[in-house]
Amino acid sequence: MVRRFLAARVPRSLTRHAPQPLPNLFDQHPEARFAPRRELGLETIPVSRIRGTAVEGPTQRGRDFKPLPFLRGANWRGRWQRLKAASDRLAILPPIDVVETADGYWVVDGHNRVALALANGQADMDASVTHLRLPGEDAAEAPSASLESVLEDSAALRAVTRRPPDQ
């Protein structure tokens, strides 16, 4: 209903050449709202396996992960220019947040970084991954986080927070 409302407010001249909307996890898998989740941590994922968005609400992005043309305001253009400049400097960008299902990854945060990766032909990117176990998915197929990586992260955190003894 919200999508019809927004579509009615968008001028026909803009929708005539509008890009295809970005697939939404909750449209594809309505049962995902209540599916169990497991944090897997930081991983390098293939950009080609990113399927769409995991943000509920009306469609705001096209398949290129950029906002639909009528939503690209000055704020977004400035952010896009900063991201492109950082990429040109080979700066390391923060990892995106994704939800993983059996059919791929769905972006929770980092749509513009994915758009930049697609524009640059980037093969892989860093992501903080949460696995979502959908009904019908075999439990044996679900990835498990390594306890070793959790312990390594914990040791690194403790090392950083240790202060040298007072002299």
Side-chain angles (χ1 to χ4, degrees), residues 65-145:
F65 284 82
K66 293 179 184 176
L68 295 172
F70 63 92
L71 296 173
R72 295 180 191 175
N75 183 19
W76 178 82
R77 283 190 296 278
R79 183 179 306 154
W80 182 250
Q81 292 303 318
R82 288 190 300 276
L83 275 173
K84 284 176 58 177
S87 175
D88 291 345
R89 290 190 318 269
L90 301 177
I92 297 173
L93 298 175
I96 62 172
D97 293 329
V98 296
V99 174
E100 178 189 28
T101 63
D103 56 348
Y105 298 97
W106 303 84
V107 179
V108 175
D109 182 51
H111 295 81
N112 291 323
R113 284 168 276 166
V114 174
L116 183 64
L118 290 170
N120 289 341
Q122 190 173 324
D124 301 307
M125 63 190 316
D126 291 335
S128 178
V129 180
T130 300
H131 181 75
L132 194 67
R133 186 168 166 226
L134 297 173
E137 182 181 305
D138 186 14
E141 294 175 12
S144 60

